[in-house]
Amino acid sequence: MTEELKHECGVAMIRLLKPIAYYEQKYGSWAWGFNKLYLMMEKQHNRGQEGAGFATVSLTTEPGNEYMFREKAEGKNAITDIFSRVSRQMAGELYMGHLRYSTTGKSGLQYVHPFLRRDNWRAKNLCLCGNFNMTNIDDVFRSMVAQGQSPRIYSDSYITLDLMGHRLDREVERNYEEAVRRGLQGQDITHYIDEHVDMARVLRTTLADYDGGYVMCGLTGSGGFFAVRDPWGIRPAYYYQNDEVVAVASERPVIQTTFDLQTEDVRELLPGEALIVGKSGVCQLEQVLPARQRTACSFERIYFSRGNDRDIYRERKRLGEQLTPAIMQAVDGDMEHTVCSFVPNTAEVAFYGMVEGFRKMGHDVRTEKVAWKDIKLRTFIAEGAERNDLAAHVYDITYGSLEPDTDNLVIIDDSIVRGTTLRESIFKILDRLHPKKIVMVSSAPQIRYPDFYGIDMARLEELCAFRAAMALIEERGMQHLADEVYRSCKEDPCSANHVRRIYAPFTVGDINRKIAEMLRPEGMRAPIELVFQSIEGLHQACPHHRGDWYFTGHYPTPGGVRLVNQSFVNYMELRSK
């Protein structure tokens, strides 16, 4: 993706199932668990570079000593920073790591996961992290206040910590009363509580009313370990278990690489399912929430997750291959005078698929490394037009890679969201090669709607497809349609996605042509044509990840429907000022 999209985090968890001395003797280090967590986090660096944190819990620490540790840091070097503080004192049986990208606009160390809730009762201590974005946090907040609670900070992370902590307290107290009823006293009560806390009950009562995409992970002071996935399966989670360890991560290859496993060894956590390990080390799967229609995020397959996953690699190649007929049409079948390339590196696998597609059609296509992304240019000295000129040179080209005014240039990207980088940098620099025509290809369909489940595209006006549709409405004198949609969004925000009607009068080709017109820089010589993946092609390539709301407007949860309608209301009201 030429303009980087941020994602709502990655998680990594490890539960050692044997005493630390076992790993020290077998693997030669007391830090075996730490080292594995470090590797899992580094392998998911793509999922978060704004901050990182880890937490550990020791099950053998005597009262009066710290048994629950947490370290956090901000910045791209956060992982190295936090692990540089590791000491033997922190060694434990439970480990949790987190990488953060903010989609909320809130920054600062206080928003870096994990979040920790302290108490003198071990079982009431809770450490929480996750990959999530809740669409109805306002409703959850109001419900908590109505119950008499008073969350300290208004964010879905802190509110979830408070709510789950409250439910955990109730579960501990329930077990306390049962222990007393059984005639237990002193430490025997504590041991009974630690061994009988029902985390499935805690998760079920905490998350029953949540709307959004999430993978929630947590540790308790008494040895509770859990990861739970949302009922729609929007956000991804994978796990592995043997007789030594239980591991959880946001991406499957992370676990494979860390523990030298085959693809089949790693399992996917299912929608509404929780992986729970108690103090005794017994691992179980619990269906804590009823599974809804599975709508796993297709953007994970197209862009966010690392491409070295076996299935994702195959899917991205299929996405590229399926585009070859449309590309052939765009270059009028003249493959002899067509050069194919890709930008940025995340589109490389789709590029391989595109090339294979042409070869299956009998065309030995020419391929070149046409575009290069340079290191981030420092523009702090320049101002105004000078700054814009520097920003336009983030990408560079391979001079002489095309026959000027003769060769078509086909460039594939994994997706086109805002189009800003295309307009301000890429098209300008590619035009210097003097191609006969530029065909800009997206292996994803047109992104027409915001995401509210963990990707930082929450405003309609940021999306070039939406801007194109609104421009067509204005050109064709159809302002009444926008006004009607605005009224529907305002008066009936929950029953349906009314914004879909904005696109109804136009074909995909209409939107494509208008986007190309809007993204074309002034003074550019070469004509531009856009080719997008179709919705049908997306589903054929990624059959098990049907979450496509950013393309189709079919949001899986009521909260997503409500928020997209509110987004259009915000757009119209801001426009009228």
Side-chain angles (χ1 to χ4, degrees):
M1 184 179 301
T2 48
E3 63 262 331
E4 183 177 333
L5 276 185
K6 297 176 182 178
H7 189 276
E8 184 68 13
C9 315
V11 297
M13 298 183 75
I14 291 175
R15 173 60 155 92
L16 303 183
L17 300 178
K18 297 183 183 296
I20 294 175
Y22 168 89
Y23 305 92
E24 190 168 10
Q25 181 177 1
K26 181 174 180 178
Y27 298 107
S29 174
W30 61 267
W32 185 83
F34 268 120
N35 292 338
K36 294 298 186 185
L37 185 71
Y38 172 76
L39 183 57
M40 290 173 71
M41 293 177 68
E42 282 289 7
K43 290 295 180 181
Q44 294 182 100
H45 214 149
N46 56 298
R47 302 187 73 88
Q49 298 183 38
E50 291 185 2
F54 72 71
T56 69
V57 176
S58 170
L59 301 179
T60 58
T61 305
E62 293 295 323
N65 297 282
E66 184 59 77
Y67 54 86
M68 204 166 187
F69 295 90
R70 178 191 60 174
E71 292 288 342
K72 303 195 294 184
E74 291 185 276
K76 291 188 176 182
N77 297 320
I79 299 176
T80 304
D81 187 6
I82 60 175
F83 277 93
S84 68
R85 306 173 203 164
V86 166
S87 66
R88 182 160 191 148
Q89 180 189 13
M90 297 178 177
E93 291 79 13
L94 288 76
Y95 296 89
M96 180 166 70
H98 187 269
L99 300 111
R100 181 176 192 257
Y101 259 144
S102 169
T103 64
T104 64
K106 295 178 179 178
S107 59
L109 199 59
Q110 66 176 329
Y111 293 105
V112 176
H113 302 212
F115 301 100
L116 182 58
R117 185 178 186 265
R118 298 283 198 179
D119 196 278
N120 280 337
W121 288 85
R122 287 189 68 133
K124 289 186 176 183
N125 285 270
L126 176 64
C127 198
L128 196 66
C129 77
N131 171 13
F132 56 83
N133 201 48
M134 305 305 180
T135 64
N136 69 331
I137 201 64
D138 294 346
D139 298 333
V140 174
F141 178 82
R142 285 191 290 269
S143 175
M144 292 175 67
V145 172
Q147 295 172 11
Q149 298 183 63
S150 182
R152 297 177 299 111
I153 298 176
Y154 194 92
S155 77
D156 51 7
S157 302
Y158 277 98
I159 288 173
T160 301
L161 179 71
D162 283 347
L163 179 57
M164 191 174 294
H166 174 71
R167 300 297 187 184
L168 183 60
D169 288 349
R170 301 290 79 76
E171 175 65 14
V172 170
E173 290 158 10
R174 184 183 68 83
N175 280 285
Y176 177 88
E177 292 171 0
E178 178 61 22
V180 170
R181 191 183 67 79
R182 291 169 176 253
L184 301 180
Q185 296 180 353
Q187 286 295 313
D188 290 338
I189 294 179
T190 299
H191 296 323
Y192 181 89
I193 292 171
D194 291 349
E195 293 166 2
H196 289 85
V197 167
D198 186 348
M199 278 309 303
R201 186 201 305 266
V202 173
L203 295 173
R204 196 173 289 116
T205 54
T206 299
L207 301 172
D209 298 324
Y210 268 40
D211 183 301
Y214 58 84
V215 170
M216 203 82 68
C217 302
L219 310 175
T220 70
S222 59
F225 172 107
F226 66 85
V228 58
R229 193 176 184 189
D230 67 80
W232 301 270
I234 295 172
R235 300 265 67 85
Y238 296 86
Y239 69 94
Y240 168 72
Q241 177 192 4
N242 63 13
D243 62 346
E244 293 183 343
V245 67
V246 177
V248 177
S250 294
E251 299 186 26
R252 179 168 58 183
V254 170
I255 301 177
Q256 289 181 245
T257 299
T258 301
F259 297 98
D260 190 17
L261 303 171
Q262 298 302 308
T263 298
E264 291 74 20
D265 297 329
V266 183
R267 296 182 60 188
E268 185 175 10
L269 201 61
L270 299 178
E273 193 174 56
L275 174 71
I276 300 172
V277 185
K279 181 180 180 180
S280 65
V282 175
C283 180
Q284 58 185 351
L285 292 169
E286 292 271 356
Q287 192 70 39
V288 296
L289 297 168
R292 306 294 185 92
Q293 182 177 359
R294 181 184 167 96
T295 48
C297 174
S298 58
F299 237 112
E300 287 283 351
R301 318 302 284 184
I302 297 167
Y303 173 69
F304 284 123
S305 293
R306 286 157 55 100
N308 61 329
D309 181 280
R310 180 195 65 186
D311 295 339
I312 291 176
Y313 185 81
R314 293 172 180 173
E315 290 167 11
R316 290 182 182 175
K317 288 189 72 175
R318 281 199 294 269
L319 286 169
E321 181 180 344
Q322 289 170 173
L323 289 163
T324 51
I327 298 170
M328 282 280 291
Q329 185 176 354
V331 298
D332 296 323
D334 186 8
M335 297 307 299
E336 182 181 353
H337 299 104
T338 295
V339 173
C340 296
S341 192
F342 62 91
V343 61
N345 289 340
T346 53
E348 186 175 5
V349 178
F351 168 76
Y352 293 147
M354 179 182 70
V355 171
E356 281 189 17
F358 283 128
R359 287 174 179 165
K360 288 179 181 178
M361 298 170 69
H363 299 285
D364 189 15
V365 296
R366 293 166 56 198
T367 61
E368 301 285 355
K369 176 70 173 177
V370 170
W372 303 76
K373 187 171 184 180
D374 287 339
I375 59 172
K376 190 171 183 179
L377 293 171
R378 302 286 183 176
T379 60
F380 54 84
I381 298 176
E383 295 181 0
E386 290 177 319
R387 187 182 187 92
N388 293 338
D389 183 61
L390 285 173
H393 291 80
V394 170
Y395 284 85
D396 209 341
I397 51 171
T398 303
Y399 291 96
S401 55
L402 269 69
E403 184 69 30
D405 302 314
T406 301
D407 287 337
N408 301 305
L409 176 58
V410 174
I411 296 282
I412 190 168
D413 192 353
D414 38 44
S415 55
I416 300 172
V417 184
R418 303 179 181 100
T420 308
T421 306
L422 290 176
R423 184 184 65 248
E424 299 298 333
S425 179
I426 292 176
F427 284 153
K428 289 180 179 179
I429 203 76
L430 292 179
D431 198 45
R432 295 185 179 187
L433 293 171
H434 304 299
K436 179 181 177 182
K437 183 180 187 179
I438 294 175
V439 180
M440 191 72 208
V441 182
S442 169
S443 66
Q446 294 174 356
I447 297 172
R448 297 182 168 194
Y449 306 93
D451 180 80
F452 304 105
Y453 304 121
I455 306 171
D456 71 334
M457 44 184 187
R459 294 194 301 165
L460 280 163
E461 60 267 30
E462 293 181 348
L463 310 178
C464 60
F466 175 78
R467 296 198 306 271
M470 293 303 296
L472 289 172
I473 284 175
E474 186 171 345
E475 286 178 7
R476 300 184 185 185
M478 301 169 61
Q479 186 58 41
H480 64 278
L481 173 60
D483 295 336
E484 290 170 5
V485 171
Y486 169 74
R487 284 193 294 272
S488 296
C489 291
K490 190 89 168 173
E491 297 168 3
D492 183 21
C494 299
S495 66
N497 176 3
H498 305 296
V499 185
R500 296 184 74 235
R501 288 156 51 194
I502 290 294
Y503 296 95
F506 313 116
T507 66
V508 171
D510 290 336
I511 302 292
N512 281 358
R513 287 186 287 274
K514 179 51 68 172
I515 294 174
E517 178 187 321
M518 295 172 69
L519 297 186
R520 182 183 181 83
E522 186 177 350
M524 184 174 178
R525 294 176 52 194
I528 300 171
E529 184 168 342
L530 298 182
V531 173
F532 282 88
Q533 183 68 251
S534 67
I535 300 297
E536 296 75 20
L538 171 70
H539 291 163
Q540 289 170 12
C542 309
H544 305 298
H545 292 74
R546 309 286 288 191
D548 60 6
W549 51 90
Y550 13 71
F551 309 125
T552 65
H554 296 309
Y555 289 87
T557 77
V561 172
R562 177 176 53 81
L563 289 178
V564 70
N565 288 328
Q566 183 60 51
S567 184
F568 188 76
V569 169
N570 295 343
Y571 165 78
M572 291 292 286
E573 292 181 350
L574 183 64
R575 190 183 186 194
S576 65
K577 288 182 179 179

